[in-house]
Amino acid sequence: MSDYSRRKFLVTAGVSAASSLLLKGCLGNPPSATVTTSAATAAPGPVAAGDAPETTKVKLGYIPIVESAPLIIAQEKGFFAKYGMTEVEVAKQASWAAARDNVTIGSAGGGIDGGQWQMPMPHLLSEGIITDGRKVPMYVLAMLNTQGNGIAIANQHQGKDLGLDLSGAADYIKGFSADQGRKFKAAFTFPNANQDFWIRYWFAAGGIDPDQDVELLTVPSAETLQGMRNGTMDAFSTGDPWPYRIVSDKVGFLGALTQEMWAFHPEEYLAIRADWVDANPKATKALLKGIMEAQQWADKPENRDELVQITAGRNYFNIPAEVLANPFKGNYTMGDNKADINSFDAGPLYWKDPKGSVSYPYKSHDLWFLTESLRWGFHKDKLTDIDTVKRMVDAVNREDLWREAATEAGFTADIPADTSRGVETFFDGIKFDPADPEAYLNSLQIKRV
């Protein structure tokens, strides 16, 4: 099937799906009315007549963690308006499940058109895997950031060797049930996506089977502090500011940063419904240009203090600014006698990192997330083999639109030469070669495939 035919099919499927959707809980999870913002007040910049967006309106959802910063900054600094997108709404989502439900009904139904996503949620939405079989075709358009994640541990586990290399704590964790009458409990915010993958990889690299030796839970970020305080949660994998807040509130310490596990790893992404993108290709590129400028602005160290003030504000994260200040500067107090980490490159980055582009949506990274899904046996009826996941990547990833937008905006010096970033190396020495994902799977000791 040609690219055109495939996209036409996806659009048709999306329209059909949108007309018949009524997910349980959809209407009960609207974007928060008190933290939804409308267009920035900055005057639009000059937009050539031929480049004028088909619509100036779009509704983008976000979760209040550092991954969402490019959406917020593009709105607040007027970068969306500069390219003609003068009626953008950036709407806080109550949870990842609420974001899923809201994109399923779309903005016409009171939901959202797209926004910030953990991976591979856009691919799972497109296949109907997390929407009760109702396909919601999505396009991945850009990566929002790298890093900015950590695995926090409750204070009761201090002195038990819970660090980057867990091998020294394997017996402690595996024996937890016999000693404590329950398994070691580890949480993340949405199953079968980024933060689930990070904590699973961490456990498995230390010889701990996450499906056998621990109890995995899905828990909203806001419930983390109380769970750690009352002893019902032992570890939590999530984005800043939560790992840092757990440390600063003295209820836990950091076992590891995801930056230590996989330096400059893919994190969260911009993805929008395929029917909206296909109906509004110029508006899509206008959004991308605004986000690209926001990412460049956010990466300047001299802008980080303002970035903290904007994102911490009542309209967005609604938290004390000091909770965000250190993570945004790459300063992490690890705790439990671990050396502190103080490096700008260790924190969240948005436009570029020492490996190259952050914003560009490398297909090789989509492939890793779906290959990791195969590793853990997620969605076996749909994710059957490498060929299947490669087809999914090609259907959902629209790196071509990123390239077009970057070229039109004049960011040509930062366009990668290839849609693969090449071989990736993890902290335990395991390598992922996008040209041979089967070799990666074969190299893993703990897996479900």
Side-chain angles (χ1 to χ4, degrees):
M1 181 184 291
S2 69
D3 284 350
Y4 172 80
S5 299
R6 178 170 60 248
R7 289 173 191 146
K8 185 176 180 181
F9 166 78
L10 287 172
V11 174
T12 304
V15 171
S16 299
S19 66
S20 62
L21 286 174
L22 186 59
L23 280 183
K24 181 180 179 181
C26 274
L27 300 180
N29 289 309
S32 171
T34 60
V35 289
T36 300
T37 61
S38 58
T41 57
V47 178
D51 294 330
E54 300 86 355
T55 179
T56 58
K57 294 182 180 181
V58 70
K59 200 168 187 178
L60 304 176
Y62 78 97
I63 299 290
I65 51 180
V66 298
E67 287 86 338
S68 64
L71 301 180
I72 294 169
I73 293 303
Q75 181 76 334
E76 290 295 316
K77 300 298 289 184
F79 295 129
F80 283 144
K82 174 180 177 179
Y83 292 102
M85 296 303 294
T86 54
E87 298 177 271
V88 177
E89 289 190 26
V90 179
K92 184 186 292 186
Q93 304 297 290
S95 65
W96 290 109
R100 171 203 62 199
D101 295 348
N102 283 321
V103 82
T104 299
I105 60 176
S107 62
I112 57 177
D113 298 302
Q116 167 196 357
W117 300 99
Q118 290 192 62
M119 290 286 271
M121 288 182 75
H123 306 76
L124 304 181
L125 285 161
S126 294
E127 295 295 319
I129 292 172
I130 57 173
T131 48
D132 295 335
R134 299 175 175 90
K135 294 184 177 182
V136 186
M138 302 285 293
Y139 288 150
V140 165
L141 299 169
M143 190 164 87
L144 293 174
N145 73 298
T146 181
Q147 304 173 161
N149 267 252
I151 298 171
I153 312 294
N155 273 337
Q156 71 185 82
H157 306 293
Q158 289 191 48
K160 302 299 183 181
D161 208 15
L162 272 73
L164 179 61
D165 179 0
L166 269 183
S167 56
D171 289 343
Y172 172 72
I173 292 174
K174 291 178 180 180
F176 203 77
S177 182
D179 294 339
Q180 302 293 325
R182 65 170 177 84
K183 288 184 176 180
F184 187 95
K185 293 185 178 182
F188 41 77
T189 56
F190 194 81
N192 310 161
N194 286 48
Q195 292 153 11
D196 186 0
F197 290 142
W198 303 145
I199 205 162
R200 282 174 172 273
Y201 196 101
W202 181 62
F203 279 127
I208 300 159
D209 190 322
D211 291 317
Q212 305 293 330
D213 300 328
V214 300
E215 181 179 353
L216 296 176
L217 309 167
T218 301
V219 177
S221 296
E223 297 178 16
T224 309
L225 288 171
Q226 186 58 30
M228 287 196 167
R229 283 194 182 102
N230 63 28
T232 60
M233 188 187 306
D234 301 296
F236 191 67
S237 169
T238 188
D240 283 319
W242 293 102
Y244 185 85
R245 189 162 193 176
I246 288 164
V247 176
S248 64
D249 284 14
K250 302 188 187 321
V251 298
F253 61 94
L254 285 173
L257 300 181
T258 54
Q259 179 269 341
E260 298 177 281
M261 295 167 56
W262 179 6
F264 314 114
H265 61 76
E267 186 42 39
E268 292 181 8
Y269 285 71
L270 171 72
I272 297 178
R273 287 176 57 120
D275 53 4
W276 192 94
V277 172
D278 284 324
N280 304 292
K282 293 177 182 178
T284 299
K285 287 189 284 185
L287 286 174
L288 278 169
K289 294 169 191 175
I291 287 172
M292 289 173 181
E293 288 215 28
Q295 290 177 303
Q296 293 170 54
W297 183 92
D299 263 5
K300 294 178 180 178
E302 62 269 25
N303 290 335
R304 286 293 170 105
D305 286 341
E306 185 179 354
L307 176 60
V308 168
Q309 294 301 318
I310 291 171
T311 55
R314 184 176 298 177
N315 282 345
Y316 295 107
F317 295 6
N318 193 28
I319 61 172
E322 57 267 24
V323 176
L324 279 173
N326 280 316
F328 267 131
K329 294 177 181 178
N331 297 333
Y332 294 90
T333 299
M334 302 298 288
D336 196 28
N337 295 316
K338 297 182 180 69
D340 293 347
I341 293 175
N342 297 291
S343 169
F344 189 81
D345 282 349
L349 300 172
Y350 298 97
W351 179 246
K352 292 181 75 172
D353 63 30
K355 288 190 176 180
S357 177
V358 172
S359 178
Y360 182 79
Y362 290 99
K363 286 188 176 182
S364 60
H365 288 161
D366 293 36
L367 181 60
W368 179 82
F369 283 110
L370 290 169
T371 301
E372 195 72 355
S373 298
L374 288 175
R375 172 191 185 174
W376 296 116
F378 296 157
H379 319 298
K380 284 185 176 180
D381 57 330
K382 298 289 187 179
L383 305 180
T384 54
D385 52 38
I386 292 294
D387 287 341
T388 297
V389 302
K390 285 181 177 179
R391 287 195 294 272
M392 290 172 65
V393 171
D394 286 340
V396 174
N397 185 295
R398 292 300 307 274
E399 55 88 23
D400 58 312
L401 289 175
W402 190 100
R403 288 174 177 272
E404 289 176 18
T407 300
E408 291 174 10
F411 306 141
T412 53
D414 294 324
I415 299 176
D418 200 297
T419 191
S420 171
R421 199 172 72 169
V423 176
E424 306 285 352
T425 303
F426 297 82
F427 77 103
D428 57 346
I430 294 292
K431 295 182 183 297
F432 175 74
D433 183 351
D436 190 4
E438 291 90 348
Y440 168 77
L441 289 173
N442 292 336
S443 72
L444 299 167
Q445 297 301 307
I446 298 177
K447 54 193 172 186
R448 304 276 91 83
V449 63

